[in-house]
Structure formats: C-alpha cells, structure tokens
Amino acid sequence: MEKTPTARFVFVLLFLTCSIAAAGAEYFKYKDPKQPLNVRIEDLLSRMTLVEKIGQMAQIERKNVSFEVIKNYFIGGVVSEGGSSPAPNASARVWVDMVNEIQKAALSTRLGIPVIYGIDAVHGHGTVYKATIFPHNIGLGATRDPALVKKIGAATALEVRATGITYAFSPSIAVCRDPRWGRCYESFSEDPKLVQEMTEIIPGLQGDIPKNSLKGVPFVAGKTKIAACAKHYVGDGGTYMGINENNTIANFHELLSIHMPPYYNAIIKGVSTVMVSYSSWNGVKMHANHFLLTDFLKNKLRFRGFIISDYEGVDRITTPSGINYTFSLQTGILAGIDMLMIPYDYPRYFESFLELVHKNVIPMSRINDAVRRILRVKFIMGLFENPFGDYSLANEIGKQEHRDLAREAVRKSLVLLKNGKSYSEPILPLPKKAKKILVAGSNADNLGYQCGGWTIKWQGLSGNNLTIGTTLLDAIKATVDPSTEVVFSENPDTYFIQGNDFSYAIVAIGEHSYAETFGDNLNLTIAEPGPNTIKNVCEHIKCVVVVISGRPVVIKPYVNMIDAVVAAWLPGTEGRGITDVLFGDYGFTGKLPKTWFKSVDQLPMNFGDAYYDPLYPFGFGLTTEPVKTSH
C-alpha cells in the first residue's frame, strides 16, 4: 500500500526522532558509575574546553548564581557566605528548592557537570533556622571524647544534606596558640595531639574510609554524608599576637611539630578538601606558598583532594587586596590552589585567567591538575549519580536525637575551675530545691551569646529570636524543683540583692558574639557589665559563675569572691546540658583544652613553654559525682 504524504511525514519524523535520541544516548564513560574512577575523570577531562575547565575552578556566592551565569561560565562551585540563606528562617524545602535549581542549570550545560555547594557548618548547620547548634570546637576539645565528636560530625552531615548541600567548610583543625585570636573558639585546643584526636569529626562528616583505600584519596560515603574541609592550612592559629590573617613566625620544625600534625590525620582519614589560610608563614602569604601547597601537601603528603582558597583569599595576596588581580590570580594558581572562592567578581576572574593562559603564564598541566582534583571529589561524592537534594531528609534538622547529642556534648564540655571557697566545702552540685534563687548576668538569657559566631549570621546575633534553643535561664527553670522560685535580674544592684533572701545565685557572664577579625581582642576582659554583676552578686550571696566565652578570659581579679567557676565555652542551643551538671544529674568531667592565663601580659603562653605560670593549667578540671537520688 502506498504511503500517504501524511504517513510519509510521520515516518520521517519518527526516523529523525529516533536518530536524535540515538545520538543523545551516545555512551560517555564519565557518566557510567561502573567505570573506574580515573577512567571517568580522564574521559570527562578530555572533553572539556578551556573555559569549562576554568569554570570548574570557580566558586561563587549563591546570590550571584543564575541559569545564565552557569550556562555561560560553567561554574563548578557555589558558596553560601557567612549567614547567606535563600530567605529569613528558610525551611529545608526552600533550601533544597534553591540548590536543585542551581543543579538543574549545571546539568543543562554541554557536559552536565554538577556543582559542589559549600557552607560553613562549623558547629552544626549554623546558618539554618532550627538546626542543632553544637558547642564550638573549643568546647568539644574540653570533652576529650573523639567518639562523641565523630557522632556530631554525622549529625551535622545529615542536617546539611537535609538542605540539599553536599559540602561543609569544616572542621577547623587550627592549633590556637593565643586566645587573643578571634577564631580561637574554632580550634579544638592549643595541643596538636588533642586536635589530631578530634579529627575524628572528619569520618563523622564523610563516613569511614574503606580499609583498602589508598591514603590521601578523598572519600564520601553516600547520600547522608558530605565532603569535609580541613582548614586553614597552615599555621592560622599561630599568628603574631593572635591577630587574624597575620604572620606566623616559626621555623620549619616548629611549623611541622605544632601546626601540621592534624593535617596528617585529616589526609589519612580521606578529607576531601583543604582550605588555605589567609595568614602568612614568615612573611609569605599561604595563598602564594608553592612549597607548602604543592611540594608539601600535594607531593609529599600525597593529598589527592582539592585545595580551595578562602573567601577572596587570592585577592588578599596583595596589600591592599585586589590591587593587582592578575598577579594575585597567577600566584595563587601556580602555588597550587585548585578552586577559587570568588564570590562576586567572576567576570574579572575569567578575563584575567584566559589572558594568563594565552600568554603561557599558567600551563595547561596546572589547570588539568586542578580540574582532575575537583572532578575526583565530585565523582567520589556521587554527585553525578545523585546531584539533587533530598526533600525526605527535612526532619533531620534540629531533631530530638541531635539535640540530645548536643546536650551530651555540653555536659562533657563544661570545665569546673573552682568548687567552694575551700576544698572541704564544695558548693556544686547545687540543690534543686531552694526557697528562692537568683539568676543574673548578660549571658544567662541570651541564646545568641550562648551560640556565638557562625550562628544564623556570620558574626552571630544577640537575643533569643534567632533560632530554636534553650537558654541557661530556661534550663534552670525547667530543672529546679517546682517549689523553687527563680528570679532573673540581668545586672542587679546591691539593694535588690540585700532586699531578697536568696539561697544562692547563678551568674552567667562572658563574651558577646563575634567571628574572625571582629573577635581579635588584646585585653580579653569579660564583656560589660559582667565584672560589675559578679561583684554585686558574689560579695553578698553564694554564687556560681558560668563563663560563656569562646576562650579563656580575665577572671583572676574576681576568683576569690566567687564560690564556684564553670567554663562553659560557647555551648550552643542546648542549655539543659549546663543544668544537667550544675544540679548534679551528671558529674563534671571536662578538662581545659587551653591554658587559662592569669594576665594577658603572659600571652602567648602554652603548655610545655619554658615559662609556664597559668591561673589554671592545660588539662585542668575538677570533677564531681552525680547526685544518685536525682535519676
């Protein structure tokens, strides 16, 4: 039977459609998860243009991401800078929607390479409303409990994955040698050995590396784990006078014995990425240090993940920042940086980068090394097979199991520095049943101060409406006997104290929230009106002072008038962890991860120094037994 014109047209259309489909289904080795990892990497790399490679090396701020930007620039990474979220109090769904739109744009490009999305989840998923906020690292160092820290890593990974994000700029494995540094609370300890133990957070975040795995190869165990980032390489905790982004003056032996050891453990545990420090080593910016980035980290330590710059870190190779951008870019890339955090001015990055390649300043071998490393991490993470966020994980954010874990971490992080005016008359644990108790101090009912920096906003916030959590005051009210009257006065005067018959007082003072450079502090005094509150209260009634701070602060002038002193660090959202121990449901077990100085004139002063005369030494911590009847 002769075909009608219409039938002929349909037949041709079907033939063409099948031909196009067949062409579209062309076999790409890099898309096949059954192919060996290196085969996939090399296959994809061989297909990439120069612009696509340069795009993979760029990480830009989520506010600048659009379908057009990804299509035109083939962006490889996206970042939420400190406090950057899709909407105030955004839900998990809103986060996942945003991440998935970004991934759709990436997958629609010629080669369909998914982006890696990074965020600062440094003590839980801090940018996200309702997330569990764990104690900052200095508190975790006080627990001396690597297994607990590993569990915290796993819980954080789940909450990060619940927002569709696959990469955290965590952990900081800095060795803080000077508490004047504004990032000291991001460090587990002044002792490199303790920081090494706490790198157990990495397998918590990423999963346990397989037993037969080659050392130095990155590893991420699937859809409930995330890529981790060891930071800030290297020596960021040793800068002169603790000044952030400053110069670490140390010989090579000192660098290797104090600041480098945690990186050995991180690499052995399969850490996916390493972030470069803003700081310098003996006057050379780390972002420009070829010896430490390439010769040592990549070649000697055989690190196979990718090296990422800090936020606009390459720009800061020059002073002032960005004054000679082409020079900075050339220096940073040739030093060994693989992915550059260029949150805003990515057009300038592309223009300068292409110019440097065309002038034969940056060789293709350096670019290929960088892209191989980035692709290796993306393949290992399973991003090509599972690029999209999972809406079903929404309930992981702030779930009770994670809050219970955070509460346990708070309990174990508390360090008891003094208990009673004499050893024979301890004041702790406190009785739950009392006629009337006073709660005072600017940090007693302030969730923002309790959580510290990197919580909702980069610098943190003050007050109780930033996220969901329990302040110390709330915790005290929930813990004491129903017949006990709890009176809160932030900064009571002596008349108020004398006019009430208080059984005892709990005074919570310390620091206000800060992050990074804004936290650099050369005097380390308790925030006002803290000292005044201590004097007013503790000169008149029995008092327990709870110090909520990111580091040791000046307390020597007040110690004699105080009955008990507790270092609570920055405990996060679970204030009940403090009262669990104050009232004796659990005993005090925490040990100082950092030397507590008498005077800032002694700084820097660390355990093992020739001259060591602290108020409380590294490793100090009184213990108490739990009150048996309270369980």
Side-chain angles (χ1 to χ4, degrees):
M1 184 181 75
E2 190 180 41
K3 289 179 179 151
T4 63
T6 309
R8 266 201 306 273
F9 174 73
V10 171
F11 177 78
V12 170
L13 193 63
L14 275 170
F15 176 76
L16 285 172
T17 306
C18 291
S19 302
I20 291 164
E26 183 193 339
Y27 177 67
F28 296 104
K29 284 183 181 174
Y30 78 87
K31 291 185 176 179
D32 183 356
K34 294 189 181 75
Q35 289 288 343
L37 174 63
N38 286 335
V39 170
R40 298 182 79 184
I41 293 168
E42 294 308 320
D43 180 58
L44 180 48
L45 192 67
S46 70
R47 299 171 189 274
M48 294 173 75
T49 64
L50 175 61
V51 173
E52 285 167 332
K53 289 174 180 177
I54 290 173
Q56 279 304 299
M57 295 171 68
Q59 187 182 52
I60 69 172
E61 217 292 319
R62 59 151 205 96
K63 291 193 281 284
N64 302 317
V65 179
S66 67
F67 196 88
E68 288 303 307
V69 168
I70 288 185
K71 186 180 131 195
N72 293 335
Y73 292 99
F74 308 101
I75 298 297
V78 176
V79 55
S80 268
E81 62 191 9
S84 176
S85 62
N89 300 350
S91 66
R93 174 166 284 277
V94 171
W95 278 96
V96 175
D97 282 346
M98 175 191 68
V99 174
N100 285 355
E101 283 305 307
I102 292 168
Q103 287 295 26
K104 282 174 194 167
L107 297 176
S108 72
T109 57
R110 187 177 75 89
L111 294 169
I113 305 172
V115 301
I116 185 168
Y117 192 122
I119 196 165
D120 283 278
V122 294
H123 62 143
H125 201 7
T127 309
V128 174
Y129 184 66
K130 290 187 180 174
T132 311
I133 306 298
F134 294 93
H136 267 296
N137 285 357
I138 193 167
L140 298 183
T143 70
R144 298 294 201 281
D145 191 341
L148 173 72
V149 168
K150 184 178 181 181
K151 287 180 193 167
I152 288 169
T156 301
L158 278 168
E159 297 204 16
V160 171
R161 276 284 188 171
T163 55
I165 295 171
T166 52
Y167 176 29
F169 306 125
S170 172
S172 165
I173 53 173
V175 181
C176 175
R177 304 293 283 179
D178 193 323
R180 293 174 291 188
W181 185 38
R183 301 194 86 139
C184 199
Y185 65 70
E186 295 185 55
S187 164
F188 292 110
S189 179
E190 71 190 35
D191 176 20
K193 289 189 180 66
L194 181 52
V195 180
Q196 285 181 283
E197 288 174 24
M198 292 299 161
T199 58
E200 268 302 280
I201 196 168
I202 292 167
L205 292 163
Q206 297 193 151
D208 288 304
I209 193 161
K211 286 188 171 59
N212 58 353
S213 178
L214 293 169
K215 297 291 183 276
V217 175
F219 177 75
V220 181
K223 290 190 274 188
T224 59
K225 298 294 181 181
I226 57 176
C229 178
K231 68 183 190 182
H232 305 86
Y233 184 85
V234 61
D236 53 340
T239 57
Y240 174 69
M241 293 179 74
I243 299 166
N244 195 39
E245 305 184 21
N246 206 259
N247 190 26
T248 296
I249 303 160
N251 62 36
F252 191 44
H253 172 74
E254 288 165 337
L255 191 77
L256 291 186
S257 58
I258 296 170
H259 299 286
M260 195 68 81
Y263 287 93
Y264 306 151
N265 298 67
I267 291 163
I268 287 166
K269 289 172 184 179
V271 75
S272 296
T273 71
V274 169
M275 186 184 289
V276 188
S277 177
Y278 286 130
S279 59
S280 303
W281 176 46
N282 295 336
V284 178
K285 293 267 191 184
M286 279 306 312
H287 279 75
N289 197 315
H290 182 275
F291 169 67
L292 285 174
L293 296 181
T294 297
D295 297 344
F296 196 81
L297 180 59
K298 287 183 175 179
N299 296 342
K300 191 167 182 65
L301 300 185
R302 298 190 60 76
F303 171 61
R304 291 289 173 266
F306 68 79
I307 297 177
I308 187 167
S309 81
D310 206 334
Y311 187 92
E312 294 181 337
V314 167
D315 306 45
R316 299 192 202 186
I317 286 173
T318 58
T319 307
S321 178
I323 195 81
N324 185 344
Y325 185 75
T326 305
F327 166 77
S328 294
L329 193 63
Q330 167 188 333
T331 308
I333 291 166
L334 291 178
I337 296 169
D338 303 311
M339 184 176 276
L340 288 82
M341 214 184 284
I342 38 165
Y344 293 98
D345 201 355
Y346 51 90
R348 179 180 63 164
Y349 158 85
F350 276 91
E351 186 183 329
S352 301
F353 204 144
L354 287 168
E355 180 189 332
L356 288 165
V357 176
H358 293 319
K359 286 182 175 174
N360 295 321
V361 176
I362 297 178
M364 281 307 299
S365 57
R366 173 72 274 270
I367 295 167
N368 288 339
D369 170 57
V371 178
R372 267 191 197 97
R373 290 167 176 277
I374 293 162
L375 294 179
R376 181 177 294 124
V377 170
K378 289 184 177 185
F379 279 124
I380 280 169
M381 291 171 71
L383 269 183
F384 282 81
E385 287 68 57
N386 297 294
F388 295 115
D390 183 350
Y391 291 101
S392 72
L393 293 173
N395 292 336
E396 295 292 338
I397 293 177
K399 75 175 183 183
Q400 194 57 46
E401 187 186 330
H402 294 169
R403 292 187 181 276
D404 291 344
L405 181 66
R407 184 171 169 177
E408 178 189 350
V410 175
R411 285 198 293 268
K412 291 180 174 177
S413 71
L414 302 176
V415 181
L416 182 57
L417 300 176
K418 180 180 180 181
N419 189 12
K421 294 261 170 81
S422 72
Y423 281 109
S424 59
E425 294 179 25
I427 181 175
L428 292 169
L430 294 168
K432 291 178 181 177
K433 195 163 188 174
K435 186 182 171 192
K436 190 194 290 187
I437 64 174
L438 172 65
V439 180
S442 57
N443 294 47
D445 190 35
N446 194 310
L447 190 64
Y449 292 169
Q450 201 171 288
C451 292
W454 297 106
T455 310
I456 303 300
K457 296 294 181 190
W458 174 38
Q459 294 293 323
L461 292 163
S462 175
N464 293 335
N465 61 353
L466 67 162
T467 190
I468 305 298
T470 305
T471 67
L472 176 56
L473 176 63
D474 293 333
I476 292 166
K477 288 176 177 174
T479 304
V480 295
D481 189 88
S483 65
T484 301
E485 185 184 350
V486 178
V487 176
F488 175 61
S489 176
E490 194 166 311
N491 188 29
D493 59 28
T494 29
Y495 298 109
F496 177 80
I497 291 158
Q498 289 169 336
N500 280 277
D501 184 19
F502 291 116
S503 305
Y504 58 82
I506 298 170
V507 181
I509 46 76
E511 295 188 298
H512 297 167
S513 298
Y514 57 82
E516 297 190 57
T517 306
F518 293 89
D520 287 355
N521 187 331
L522 295 180
N523 60 41
L524 293 179
T525 49
I526 291 165
E528 294 295 343
N532 185 56
T533 309
I534 292 171
K535 285 173 186 162
N536 286 352
V537 176
C538 297
E539 283 182 347
H540 295 94
I541 45 177
K542 274 189 178 177
C543 74
V544 177
V545 170
V546 179
V547 183
I548 294 177
S549 66
R551 53 200 160 185
V553 289
V554 175
I555 60 169
K556 187 174 184 290
Y558 324 110
V559 166
N560 288 340
M561 70 178 79
I562 299 168
D563 293 277
V565 182
V566 177
W569 315 110
L570 296 171
T573 50
E574 306 313 302
R576 291 291 294 271
I578 304 175
T579 51
D580 281 344
V581 184
L582 285 183
F583 292 96
D585 291 332
Y586 295 82
F588 279 92
T589 57
K591 303 295 178 192
L592 282 182
K594 188 112 200 70
T595 297
W596 206 294
F597 57 87
K598 289 176 179 173
S599 157
V600 289
D601 298 335
Q602 297 174 294
L603 298 175
M605 177 176 59
N606 293 284
F607 170 67
D609 287 356
Y611 177 78
Y612 190 67
D613 180 32
L615 183 61
Y616 300 107
F618 171 82
F620 179 81
L622 302 172
T623 57
T624 59
E625 291 299 317
V627 179
K628 298 288 185 246
T629 54
S630 63
H631 280 297

